[in-house]
Structure formats: structure tokens, C-alpha cells
Amino acid sequence: MAYKNYIFDLYGTLVDIHTNERKSYLWEKTALYMRFQGADYTAQSLKRAYYEGIREQRREKRGVFTEKMGRIILEEEIEVSFEELIPELYLKAGVTVTEEQAKDWAALFRALSIQHLALYEGAKELLIRLKEDGKKVFLLTNAQRLFTEPELSILGIRDCFDAVYYSSDEGFVKPSAYFYRKLLEEQCLDPQESVMVGNDDLADAWGAHNCGMDSIYLYTKQSPKPAGALPENCRRVSQIGDVDKNPLRRTSW
């Protein structure tokens, strides 16, 4: 039978993006912006507080999830939330901000860090084609909602998805089975009728495999170096537009 549900990764799969959070300009301008609001940061003190805040939040979430789920949760499984991080950065400087002000901070920070943002050739056409064929199309992305929602709108693909799942909302990143199951269970999807499309062998191909799903793997310039062999139920494609070619589900490829 053909797949009924297509689940996509975003960055490196549908979207070609390059960001640079190491450039001094980013931290200088963001710190200046915060000083306008009364938060007395220098570029260096802001950068230090930013990464310390990420580490602190990961440790806290790890403890909560370990207790809640009854197993040891690794820090690498944990995703932070910038909805929580940004207000904390301001509070450390004695300033309280609104939700809208936090969104403005995120927009500025992201705009300063992005060096390139574009859809891969054929990506939007593929999503439209799948919808026209009656498929359900979902996004499962290791990403911050505050950054990614505006980018989906800018790129013109937000309405191509039946639902979008951000790691920042769930507290877990792929390949966590918890993150995958959240989508599968909430959307009432049969893993045997679903396929994961992504550019990361561990997060996408093996993450899907461990939840009983087939996968389609696309190697791009943003892909991490493969750690080993792909699962037997993973098919490789050379470009995103080939995803719906030979779409029949098989036990191996």
C-alpha cells in the first residue's frame, strides 16, 4: 500500500539555512537592544548568560523528565524553550518583559544570525503535490517555535502542513521516541502507513525506525556525517523532489 502520511524534517531537508551565532556583531547588537530596555548587558556578558541559561534549563528539564518517566534521560535528548529562556535573560538583569517583547527579541536575534535562508529546489512543489494526492503532511522539527514559525510564513509553506511539531514545545529532540510518539498518537497515525523524510541518519532515519516507521533519507550539505549504515527500511534519494517517486511501502529498499 502507498504511504498515507508524510512526516518531514525541516532544516537541511526542506530548507537550506545557514546561521552563525559566533559573530561578535550578533551579540553586540542584541546586547545594545536589551540595554535600550534597561537590561544592562555587554556582548560578552549576554553571550555567557545565554549559554549558561541553556545549560541550566537542560539540567532542570532532565531532572523533571527523569522523575516523571522513570528512566534516566540524557541531556542530549532535552530541548530548551526560548519562551522560557528569553524572559529569564531579562530577569537576571532586573527587567520583566511581555510575551510580545520576547518574540521581538527572538526575531532580532534570529535575523542577525541568519546568513542564508531558502527552500531547496522542488520542496514546496513536493508538499503541494502530496496534499493534492490526498496525503497527510506533517512537520516534526528540532527547532524553536519563536524562530521557526515566522520562517515558515516567510518561505510560504506553513499552510502545506496538517500539523507542526516543534521540539521546543515538547522538551525533547529527535531521535527521541517520545517526540515521535507525540505526533503519532495525537494525529492517530499508523506507523505502518507513515514515512519520515529527513537529512539526519540518526535523528530521522533511525528515530523513525525505532518507532516502527519507514524513512526516506536525503543527504545535504547540512547533514551530519552518517554514523553508520541506514536502517533496512530506509530509502535514499538524491534530491527532495524525488521523495514521492516509487512511493509504495516495502519491508526493505
Side-chain angles (χ1 to χ4, degrees), residues 19-23 26-28 30-31 34 41-59 79-93 102 105-113 143-144 146-147:
T19 62
N20 185 355
E21 294 182 2
R22 292 174 295 180
K23 56 184 179 180
L26 165 68
W27 299 102
E28 290 166 1
T30 307
M34 295 179 78
Y41 277 110
T42 64
Q44 286 303 312
S45 64
L46 174 59
K47 186 175 182 179
R48 184 167 54 252
Y50 174 86
Y51 286 111
E52 285 176 354
I54 288 175
R55 289 191 293 270
E56 288 170 6
Q57 194 178 138
R58 280 208 175 104
R59 284 194 295 269
E79 178 67 285
V80 301
S81 167
F82 273 46
E83 283 90 341
E84 299 172 20
L85 178 65
I86 296 167
E88 282 296 321
L89 289 175
Y90 276 97
L91 280 175
K92 287 179 179 179
W105 187 99
L108 172 69
F109 186 86
R110 188 66 163 179
L112 291 172
S113 69
Q144 293 293 322
L146 284 181
F147 289 166

Side-chain angles (χ1 to χ4, degrees), residues 2-6 8 13-14 120-138 156-157 159-162 197 216 218 235 237-247:
Y3 298 116
K4 293 182 179 180
N5 314 301
Y6 283 76
F8 285 88
T13 300
L14 296 169
Y120 280 114
E121 183 178 353
K124 186 171 183 178
E125 292 80 0
L126 168 66
L127 298 175
I128 292 172
R129 201 160 59 238
L130 291 172
K131 295 294 291 181
E132 289 176 345
D133 287 343
K135 310 300 183 183
K136 292 285 189 179
V137 180
F138 302 94
I157 59 172
D159 293 339
C160 294
F161 302 105
D162 291 279
V197 182
I216 298 173
L218 172 69
R235 176 168 65 98
V237 294
S238 59
Q239 54 190 6
I240 192 66
D242 292 339
V243 161
D244 57 344
K245 295 178 181 178
N246 302 317

Side-chain angles (χ1 to χ4, degrees), residues 195-207:
V195 64
M196 178 71 204
V197 182
N199 74 312
D200 188 310
D201 61 318
L202 296 179
D204 300 317
W206 282 104

